Amino acid sequence: MSARQKISVTVNGALHEGAAEPRMLLVDYIRDVIGLKGTRYGCDTSNCGACTVVMDGRSAKSCTFLAVQADGREITTIEGVAAEGRLHPLQAAFQEAHALQCGFCTSGMVMSAYALLAQNPDPSRDDIRQGIIGNLCRCTGYLPVIEAVESAARGLKAGGGTP
Ligand code: FES
Ligand code: FES
């Protein structure tokens, strides 16, 4: 068994200091060590995007990183997007636009959209398609997801908010 390495990661604004085996995936660290189960584990082959988090401002599939690679970095998970117990505008827009059915892809979709809107608050439909290109959904047909992201972008713009 390989020696565990100390890592410190800021997750949703809180510093977590711990240790991980060198081969432990970041998605496992987030779910099983930190205990945040909203980040899903879908394919483990970097295809589905269910494990998407935001790392240092960019969307990242957490099954494609080792936990030790997150040392010193800042991560936002789905648990970190809702402020003061209220749904984030993206979450509310997903709910309103029926942009989820089984919900398995939803946390990853929202995190990809969250990273997109942070970088591009006024995305075109093509920008949104590109933003969620790494996230697979077997239920919705994607159109409601795109409409939800558009609606959230409009709402955030009107309210002067930032993701
Ligand atoms: S679990 Fe990471 S991309 Fe599918
Ligand atoms: S809502 Fe079921 S996979 Fe997307």
Side-chain angles (χ1 to χ4, degrees), residues 40-52 61-64 134:
R40 304 274 196 237
Y41 202 167
C43 64
D44 182 19
T45 55
S46 82
N47 280 299
C48 74
C51 64
T52 303
K61 293 179 177 179
S62 59
C63 76
T64 66

Side-chain angles (χ1 to χ4, degrees), residues 61-83:
K61 293 179 177 179
S62 59
C63 76
T64 66
F65 286 85
L66 297 169
V68 293
Q69 290 176 297
D71 186 30
R73 305 180 81 168
E74 281 199 31
I75 291 174
T76 304
T77 70
I78 191 67
E79 290 88 348
V81 303

Side-chain angles (χ1 to χ4, degrees), residues 9 54 73 118-119 139:
V9 191
V54 173
R73 305 180 81 168
Q119 286 164 10
C139 304

